[in-house]
């Protein structure tokens, strides 16, 4: 069946710009059709015989081009009765019945239903009760649709809302983030195959761990249980400590001596630390800092030792602190000896007594030397 389509029945350029752009001038034939001139102005085609199904498709396309998903949401909103509403006296049907007629799932119908419901709450579209089957209303612009509709059930969950909020904060469409969240296997494949994706995942995990102690613990446990990772972390921690040692001298002007004292860094020592630190800070993220950190640490450490030896008062303080630290460690070790268990289990051997006697002699000699050094000569 065909109908005669007058020029005024065709979509105007404002109603269906895409359709106008898609039409190509046909080749010369017996059924000539006026074409769009290249003057930039719209020229309506002459009346012609067009199949009714084509007209219907063109009009439906024009509506969708202007309103997007709102056109289909309206069909649901005016045909599906709200939950709990009686079917008596209404031509509307349930979401399940509408889905059966449409040949799709009730869940899909309800996603359109909920999108309309949220828009109605915002005053963007009429409430369900104001709509009747077949009724037409003015619809919002197409670009507003995605603000209310989500093609994924997860979007309505607490997790989905969190993902949506994070996606909006990053300036991307929530549907993209929800799609990734629903397919972790695909995410894993992308991370394994693509360095760029892996780098993005690493940055995201680090940001997440700042506010997620549980994730911090899980990551630390996973690293500790993996030999290669554990070794790599230890190496990086060592390099970081060395860089921090140099940075403290360069930026803080303080130096920690081998004996644990914190003193002001001499100008030449600070200058050397600043030189090494500038080299380290200029490294690219992809460059290994371990070797540079080791070189800087050893260089600065040598200068620290020289500075200590060059200052008589500091040298005395350093040796005193070193001796006292060793004495504290020896005292703690001796206090931790469990003599009761040794005596009860009868595990004493001659070698133990000999070692203790030698230790006693060494302690006695040390005490004598110290007393002699501290007793003024008469």
């Amino acid at each position: 069946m065909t109908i005669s389509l007058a020029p005024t029945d065709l979509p105007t350029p404002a109603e269906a710009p895409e359709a106008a752009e898609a039409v190509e001038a046909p080749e010369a034939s017996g059924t000539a059709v006026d074409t769009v001139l290249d003057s930039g102005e719209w020229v309506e085609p002459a009346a012609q015989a067009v199949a009714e199904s084509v007209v219907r498709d063109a009009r439906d396309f024009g509506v969708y081009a202007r309103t997007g998903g709102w056109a289909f949401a309206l069909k649901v909103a005016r045909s599906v009765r709200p939950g709990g509403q009686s079917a008596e006296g209404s031509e509307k049907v349930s979401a399940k019945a509408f889905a059966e007629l449409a040949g799709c799932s009730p869940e899909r119908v309800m996603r359109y239903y909920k999108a309309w419901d949220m828009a109605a709450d915002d005053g963007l579209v009429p409430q369900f009760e104001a709509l009747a089957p077949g009724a037409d209303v003015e619809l919002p612009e197409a670009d507003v649709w995605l603000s209310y509709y989500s093609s994924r059930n997860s979007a309505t969950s607490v997790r989905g809302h969190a993902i949506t909020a994070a996606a909006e904060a990053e300036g991307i469409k929530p549907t993209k983030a929800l799609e990734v969240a629903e397919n972790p296997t695909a995410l894993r494949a992308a991370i394994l195959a693509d360095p760029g994706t892996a780098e993005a995942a690493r940055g995201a995990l680090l940001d997440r761990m700042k506010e997620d102690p549980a994730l911090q613990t899980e990551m630390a446990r996973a690293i500790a249980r993996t030999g290669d990772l554990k070794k790599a972390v230890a190496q990086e921690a060592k390099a970081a400590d060395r860089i921090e040692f140099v940075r403290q001298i360069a930026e803080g002007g303080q130096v920690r001596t081998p004996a644990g004292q914190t003193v002001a860094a001499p100008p030449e020592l600070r200058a050397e630390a600043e030189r090494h630190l500038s080299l380290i800070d200029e490294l690219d993220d992809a460059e290994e800092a371990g070797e540079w950190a080791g070189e800087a640490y050893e260089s600065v450490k040598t200068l620290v030792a020289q500075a200590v030896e060059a200052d008589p008062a500091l040298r005395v303080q350093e040796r005193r602190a070193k001796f006292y630290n060793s004495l504290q460690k020896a005292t703690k070790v001796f206090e931790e000896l469990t003599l009761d268990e040794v005596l009860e289990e009868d595990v004493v051997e001659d070698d133990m007594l000999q070692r203790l006697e030698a230790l006693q002699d060494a302690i006695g000699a040390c005490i004598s030397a110290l007393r002699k050094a501290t007793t003024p000569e008469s």
Side-chain angles (χ1 to χ4, degrees):
M1 171 184 178
T2 61
I3 63 173
S4 178
L5 184 63
T8 55
D9 293 329
L10 289 174
T12 66
E15 293 175 335
E18 291 86 354
E21 294 174 359
V23 175
E24 296 181 358
E27 297 179 358
S29 64
T31 58
V33 178
D34 289 348
T35 61
V36 178
L37 301 178
D38 59 1
S39 63
E41 297 181 356
W42 171 263
V43 178
E44 292 182 340
Q48 56 180 299
V50 180
E52 182 179 2
S53 59
V54 175
V55 176
R56 185 169 57 251
D57 285 348
R59 287 174 175 169
D60 288 345
F61 177 79
V63 172
Y64 184 78
R66 294 190 303 275
T67 64
W70 293 114
F72 299 106
L74 172 61
K75 298 179 186 296
V76 173
R78 68 191 184 188
S79 300
V80 175
R81 60 176 180 266
Q85 187 181 81
S86 173
E88 296 181 3
S90 174
E91 295 180 348
K92 295 185 178 183
V93 298
S94 66
K96 182 179 181 181
F98 188 88
E100 291 175 352
L101 292 171
C104 66
S105 68
E107 290 77 16
R108 180 179 292 273
V109 172
M110 286 305 299
R111 286 198 287 272
Y112 281 83
Y113 182 96
K114 291 175 182 178
W116 187 278
D117 191 25
M118 289 189 291
D121 289 341
D122 290 345
L124 202 63
V125 294
Q127 296 287 343
F128 295 107
E129 293 77 7
L131 298 173
D136 285 323
V137 298
E138 185 176 352
L139 297 174
E141 295 293 332
D143 56 0
V144 186
W145 172 245
L146 289 178
S147 300
Y148 293 92
Y149 175 79
S150 174
S151 61
R152 304 181 180 280
N153 291 327
S154 62
T156 60
S157 65
V158 174
R159 174 173 175 264
H161 284 305
I163 294 173
T164 298
E168 292 173 348
E170 294 289 338
I172 64 173
K173 292 182 179 180
T175 50
K176 293 291 185 182
L178 289 166
E179 181 179 358
V180 172
E182 289 184 3
N183 197 342
T185 303
L187 176 61
R188 171 183 168 83
I191 292 174
L192 291 174
D194 178 45
T197 304
E199 177 61 22
R202 181 194 67 81
L205 279 174
L206 289 177
D207 291 341
R208 174 66 185 268
M209 283 193 291
K210 294 176 182 178
E211 300 179 357
D212 191 340
L215 182 58
Q216 292 178 14
T217 301
E218 287 297 325
M219 290 296 292
R221 184 179 294 117
I223 291 172
R225 292 175 178 175
T226 307
D228 292 342
L229 290 179
K230 183 178 180 180
K231 183 179 180 180
V233 169
Q235 291 175 344
E236 289 298 321
K238 183 178 180 180
D241 288 342
R242 290 183 165 184
I243 293 174
E244 182 59 29
F245 177 79
V246 177
R247 190 179 301 279
Q248 186 179 21
I249 298 173
E251 298 179 354
Q254 301 290 317
V255 58
R256 189 174 180 83
T257 66
Q261 298 185 94
T262 300
V263 298
E268 60 275 11
L269 173 58
R270 188 169 184 177
E272 180 67 7
E274 290 175 349
R275 185 180 71 82
H276 282 285
L277 187 61
S278 65
L279 294 174
I280 293 174
D281 290 340
E282 290 175 1
L283 295 176
D284 295 333
D285 292 339
E287 294 184 83
E288 294 289 341
E291 183 177 351
W292 293 85
E295 180 181 343
Y297 177 77
E298 293 300 332
S299 177
V300 172
K301 184 180 177 182
T302 300
L303 291 179
V304 170
Q306 292 175 357
V308 170
E309 290 298 319
D311 187 333
L314 181 58
R315 182 173 68 249
V316 171
Q317 294 177 6
E318 182 73 0
R319 292 179 179 178
R320 182 183 293 116
K322 185 177 180 180
F323 182 83
Y324 191 72
N325 288 341
S326 299
L327 182 59
Q328 280 188 313
K329 292 178 182 178
T331 302
K332 183 177 180 180
V333 171
F334 187 79
E335 288 175 347
E336 291 177 351
L337 291 177
T338 53
L339 296 178
D340 292 341
E341 294 180 1
V342 173
L343 296 175
E344 289 177 359
E345 299 295 335
D346 191 24
V347 295
V348 178
E349 297 180 350
D350 293 340
D351 182 61
M352 295 180 183
L353 293 174
Q354 292 173 3
R355 287 177 178 269
L356 285 172
E357 289 172 353
L359 177 59
Q360 184 180 29
D361 293 340
I363 293 175
C366 181
I367 292 173
S368 298
L370 292 177
R371 282 177 176 172
K372 183 178 181 181
T374 56
T375 302
E377 296 182 357
S378 55

